[in-house]
Amino acid sequence: MYCGKCNVEDGLGSLDNCPTCRAEMCEVSTQEKVRQFRCLLKRPSGRHTPVAQNSLATCYLNGTGVAQDYTQAARLFRLSADQGLAQAQCQLGRCYALGTGVDEDWAEAARLYR
């Protein structure tokens, strides 16, 4: 249970929503959201894992609740993208196109955008 509004084991989430049930986490601090995403990553892999990786990567990319770290963001986007999350594939493609956290590589960016 993450937001207190659910107790299901799977679902999709984003930075503004519970990683489990997608309920809004308006009353939860940014630091608490980051803590919850990290907890999800420690659990056995499941449907929630790529979403948590992508959400935590976004936190690192923007410096939201954690120190900004482009390399860590790209690493987490890669983990999520490799599991098929389209949003992470697009974000990782952007990292390669701009050289954010990884060496600039237009061929890899194009591959990820496809």
Side-chain angles (χ1 to χ4, degrees):
M1 183 164 15
Y2 298 97
C3 69
K5 296 178 183 177
C6 67
N7 60 7
V8 296
E9 290 297 322
D10 63 350
L12 300 175
S14 68
L15 185 59
D16 295 326
N17 298 55
C18 173
T20 303
C21 74
R22 297 182 4 167
E24 288 189 29
M25 295 172 57
C26 301
E27 300 172 12
V28 177
S29 71
T30 302
Q31 288 76 18
E32 178 61 15
K33 290 178 189 178
V34 170
R35 186 193 71 73
Q36 290 175 357
F37 295 140
R38 286 184 175 149
C39 285
L40 279 175
L41 297 181
K42 292 178 184 175
R43 295 173 59 185
S45 293
R47 183 175 172 199
H48 57 274
T49 304
V51 175
Q53 290 165 334
N54 186 68
S55 296
L56 189 55
T58 301
C59 291
Y60 278 108
L61 183 67
N62 298 325
T64 306
V66 294
Q68 194 169 42
D69 185 341
Y70 295 135
T71 303
Q72 181 71 338
R75 185 184 76 77
L76 288 165
F77 282 137
R78 167 64 68 194
L79 291 172
S80 184
D82 287 348
Q83 295 175 72
L85 188 67
Q87 184 179 2
Q89 292 167 345
C90 183
Q91 286 289 0
L92 184 59
R94 184 169 183 210
C95 289
Y96 276 104
L98 301 174
T100 306
V102 293
D103 292 333
E104 190 175 295
D105 184 342
W106 282 93
E108 180 66 3
R111 186 188 72 75
L112 288 161
Y113 285 141
R114 290 187 195 134

